[in-house]
Amino acid sequence: MAGRNGRTVRDLRRANRTAVLQRLYFDGPLSRFELGPATGLSSGSVSNVVADLVADGLVEEAGSVDSDGGRPRTLLQVAPASGHMIGVDVGETRVRVELFDLTLTELARAQRPLEQQRYEVEVIVDHIRSGVAEVLADAGLAPERLLGVGIGVPGIVEHTPDRGAVVHGQTIGWDAVPLESLLRAGSPLPETVPYFIDNGARTLGQAEMWFGAGRGARNALVVLFGSGVGACLVTPEVEHGRAVEWGHLTVRVRGRRCRCGALGCLEAYAGAESLLARWREEGGRVPEDLESTDEETALTTMLAAAYPADGGAPDPVALAVLEETAEYLGAGLSDLINLFQPERILMGGWAGLQLGSRFLPSVRRHALSYALRHPAGKVTIELGRLGPDAVTVGAAILPLADFFARGGRRPDPDPQSPPPAWHTALQERAPR
């Protein structure tokens, strides 16, 4: 039966379960008494919802605390083993697959390096499939117990009714790749386990907003700095985050050729791939074996050349390229500051974390000097806190958010019964 606002009793129960689960997840352990004001539900509703969640094995007791003159109050928490998610990062140097329990504690991981065949679709699909099978086997977990598999990928992700998630990754040579359909064919998972596929910068942003340096911010930009560059915008209007193809902002007319084919993109100057290429092209003291190493190792080599640990003479070309890259990144950030006026900008990604504290002060200085004074005076620019696993954590949040949106119910096995949008729980971003 639907009420005046169109919501059914089932919708109301689901919303109440979602509210209690999220409060316990982000702020627990909590008592039933504390859950009332935290969720806005009556004491009777809290008792009913908690009884349901305990009966479903989603909530468990976690000790007790003394009350004012009465009996001790029982504390409640989300049961970690009541759900499991897999997060996948289709990165620039490897495919990383991690298995988490419901509280995002890592249980197993698998990694597949990407070398010459890099983004060949069949290779990526095989890496994801085998990595999923490996982490499940390592943890001794039946595939049916998964809430879902979240995957962060480069490029624009389009969700279609007939082919599922389709990836438009111009910089990696993916033209409308039906990744979800390809993964389903020969998948080690049953049909009832859903895939959630989204842009890697967006999953990075979601992880930092839920659990990292973005907690409490309403207007934020999370920047992924790796072989290329990307960003995720979070505002009150797009609380679930929106991937921004920031790396393909034109910073120099008729400039360097970018991986996307255009001229003068920010990525052609500020991405790690171009940074290393410029070091070679401009005659730096590049080791002979640099071509045979992966990008992460190569960037470490370049940093060591620019900032020798032994106090020796730096490679002037490496130092100059890094300083120029910091200016390009800063100028690119200034455009984001002027356009979106965020209160925080967070820099993550393997290259951003590797360059870290040496690089960030210079990036910050250039960003603030190029931006308009008023928005520049309100923004802070920091490193992300979740480290190199942030994309996989963010990818695992996608099935977790869907689980919340369902009120702690597993996906409906009936393909004709569409699930509620997992954006819903991302928009109800609890950790303020």
Side-chain angles (χ1 to χ4, degrees), residues 309-335:
D310 60 5
D315 178 341
V317 176
L319 191 59
V321 168
L322 283 167
E323 289 177 347
E324 185 182 43
T325 298
E327 184 167 6
Y328 273 114
L329 274 173
L333 290 179
S334 74
D335 290 326

Side-chain angles (χ1 to χ4, degrees), residues 261-286:
L263 297 175
C265 293
L266 174 64
E267 189 169 293
Y269 293 91
E273 182 178 290
S274 65
L275 192 156
L276 291 163
R278 284 159 52 218
W279 185 32
R280 288 189 290 265
E281 292 165 7
E282 295 177 24
R285 298 199 296 269
V286 183

